[in-house]
Amino acid sequence: MTTHEQPRERELDRFVVAARNGDRSAFDELVRRTYVDTYTLALRLTAHEEDARDVVQEAYLRAWRGLPRFRGDAQFSTWMYRITANTAYSSVKRRRRHRAEALDAMREDPVEMHPDLQPEGAAESSAMLDRLSLALEALPPKLRVLVVLKDVYGLSHEEIAEELGISVPAAKVRLHRGRKRLRDLLYEDEGHDGRWASAV
Amino acid sequence: MRCDDVAKILPAAVEQGAAVELSVQRHIESCLRCQAELARYRRMLRGLQMLRTRYLEPAPGLLAQTLAAIEEAGERQAMRSILSGRRLAYAGAIGGAAVAATAATAVMLAHRSRRRTVLGGASSA
């Protein structure tokens, strides 16, 4: 967590306490303050706007019902990430077939939409982040979920495995594959393993 | 150690704090191709971390819909608890009535049986 997030988390904690005591307006305030963050995660996980909206609603409903069980060991935002991840993963699994078709169509987008982008440029540049977002969307959903939760949101292997209902080794293997695929999507014009393996 | 062996482990090795074998480290130190590949992974991970604070703005209406869904769920929950409370009250009332009816029947039967005994005693006398 960055330093500027700490006051925000402390403020959220106040609303969490009130909401746990049955204050609905406090929970509404929590939703108001976190829904863009939750939507961002949902959209990155599902790569589908309509699904992401459904995931956000479902995630907050689950959070509202589960609030009495939230003991405050973790931060509210981390707890919401886990609920969102779990909800989004169910959504991804339900619509996997449909998504696979959509992804085939999207796979060309990173190159076609930004033919002038050079990956050698600074990763921090806005253009590179656009390219990275598009490449993430083009990953198979099961791999994308791992990369987003681990590398974007910093969840541990254990937390991810628990929320997705998979083993920790399986989570590690998928993350490894996801990073490799993402690297290939981003830098495919710079050479594949095969190409430079044979050149060495 | 060959470049393709290193390429296979780089996605895991790039993570901070990951244990990397000495032979791999030595190869990377002496191989420009693998250094470039490691730099790509590092750049990619740095970019992914930066996406964390790059928020995607939802289309208007999501907040209102979400709050309405919670409101609706809250009302349903309240209705369920009222109904389950009523059900309990009904069950209690029915149970009470059954107990009262059973008690009344028992009293009536006992009374009749006592009368028969008394009448039987009188006729035999």
Side-chain angles (χ1 to χ4, degrees), chain A residues 81 124 130 179 183 190, chain B residues 11 37 40 46 52 54:
Chain A
Y81 290 157
E124 292 78 8
D130 286 345
R179 283 177 180 166
R183 174 253 173 258
E190 289 185 22
Chain B
E37 185 65 356
R40 284 188 194 107
R46 216 166 41 235
R52 166 68 187 81
R54 209 185 206 219

Side-chain angles (χ1 to χ4, degrees), chain A residues 5-140:
Chain A
E5 282 178 313
Q6 284 167 354
R8 177 179 180 259
E9 284 294 337
R10 274 199 294 272
E11 230 173 69
L12 291 182
D13 286 346
R14 282 196 300 119
F15 291 110
V16 170
V17 171
R20 283 185 62 199
N21 290 328
D23 184 347
R24 255 295 310 283
S25 64
F27 188 76
D28 286 357
E29 194 54 38
L30 280 173
V31 176
R32 269 187 210 98
R33 287 170 185 244
T34 58
Y35 84 101
V36 174
D37 202 5
T38 304
Y39 172 77
T40 302
L41 172 59
L43 188 55
R44 292 209 191 285
L45 292 172
T46 60
H48 189 277
E49 195 183 335
E50 202 181 313
D51 285 359
R53 293 171 70 93
D54 290 345
V55 165
V56 169
Q57 287 193 22
E58 179 62 28
Y60 280 113
L61 282 174
R62 287 191 193 183
W64 171 241
R65 290 187 199 117
L67 207 54
R69 292 190 300 276
F70 176 61
R71 294 192 306 262
D73 299 342
Q75 287 157 359
F76 178 75
S77 55
T78 309
W79 187 59
M80 271 314 296
Y81 290 157
R82 294 183 64 166
I83 295 174
T84 308
N86 184 292
T87 312
Y89 193 58
S90 304
S91 167
V92 160
K93 279 198 290 189
R94 263 200 310 273
R95 301 185 67 165
R96 193 166 48 188
R97 199 162 161 237
H98 167 76
R99 192 71 64 258
E101 287 160 8
L103 280 173
D104 284 342
M106 287 169 66
R107 195 144 288 149
E108 298 305 316
D109 285 354
V111 179
E112 284 182 4
M113 290 177 72
H114 302 277
D116 52 339
L117 290 179
Q118 293 302 311
E120 294 90 346
E124 292 78 8
S125 73
S126 177
M128 176 60 188
L129 293 182
D130 286 345
R131 190 184 165 93
L132 195 51
S133 296
L134 287 166
L136 262 181
E137 285 178 19
L139 278 182

